[in-house]
Amino acid sequence: MTGDEDSTAAVLNRLRRAQGQLSGVIAMIEQGRDCKEVVTQLAAVSRALDRAGFKIVATGLRECATGDTSDAGKPMTEDELEKLFLALA
């Protein structure tokens, strides 16, 4: 991922938070915690990952769309952009 340092730091922070939450969910399952509590925490992990993905897309969309960082140096097609967004849906 390219972009400004603030955006990169924000994404990394969200991913680290999700990593910690996932560790917590694993521990909850190992401890035999209530299903409702586990599912609630798992949903929080999922939202954290979604937010990180959306932040990556929002930060890098201009670069992706203009081809500034693509391997071929060409702008992404509409189909490629659609697939990128749908990957997070």
Side-chain angles (χ1 to χ4, degrees):
M1 179 181 147
T2 60
D4 63 72
E5 290 179 24
D6 290 338
S7 296
T8 300
V11 168
L12 288 173
N13 186 39
R14 289 175 187 202
L15 290 174
R16 287 185 182 110
R17 186 177 310 129
Q19 184 178 32
Q21 289 173 314
L22 184 56
S23 294
V25 170
I26 291 169
M28 290 173 74
I29 292 171
E30 290 173 343
Q31 296 166 2
R33 299 277 293 270
D34 182 61
C35 177
K36 184 178 175 182
E37 293 175 5
V38 172
V39 170
T40 299
Q41 289 304 309
L42 195 55
V45 173
S46 180
R47 284 191 304 273
L49 291 174
D50 286 344
R51 286 179 177 227
F54 292 139
K55 181 69 172 174
I56 290 170
V57 170
T59 300
L61 183 58
R62 184 177 337 145
E63 294 166 357
C64 290
T66 61
D68 289 345
T69 61
S70 69
D71 294 334
K74 298 184 298 186
M76 292 179 72
T77 66
E78 255 184 70
D79 287 339
E80 290 171 326
L81 286 169
E82 183 179 350
K83 286 180 184 179
L84 183 63
F85 280 110
L86 290 176
L88 293 171

